Amino acid sequence: MEAVGNLLPAIFKKQIRRDETLVVEILSPFWPKIAGKGIAENSVPVHFARGTLTLETTCPTWAIQLRNMTEEIRAGVNNLLGITLVKEVKVQIAPRL
């Protein structure tokens, strides 16, 4: 999985810049690597537009934790993508994942 993550930036860099809807699709399988297993089990990336990545969780406690980690998450996503695409991370509470 790590080898694929290393190839991802070269493969998707141009495509991501043209189509922001791909960002969530690309991030989903790598979410545990980016956020860590515990966070990935309790949250999911759901939307990306104009530099803002939106995460959802069903638990208010996890929402607080995620909001406290937005800078680390943003840096991890940008590192995986190989470009500074995510400028802000928002967290919302969903009824269920």
Side-chain angles (χ1 to χ4, degrees), residues 30-86:
F30 296 100
W31 189 235
K33 178 182 176 183
I34 295 167
K37 185 178 177 182
I39 292 172
E41 289 175 352
N42 292 284
S43 66
V44 61
V46 293
H47 183 71
F48 179 80
R50 290 175 274 169
T52 300
L53 176 66
T54 303
L55 308 176
E56 277 189 351
T57 182
T58 58
C59 176
T61 303
W62 275 105
I64 292 167
Q65 180 68 20
L66 290 166
R67 288 181 184 120
N68 288 332
M69 297 181 64
T70 57
E71 284 305 306
E72 293 97 70
I73 293 169
R74 185 187 63 75
V77 169
N78 287 335
N79 185 47
L80 179 84
L81 296 174
I83 55 175
T84 304
L85 194 63
V86 176

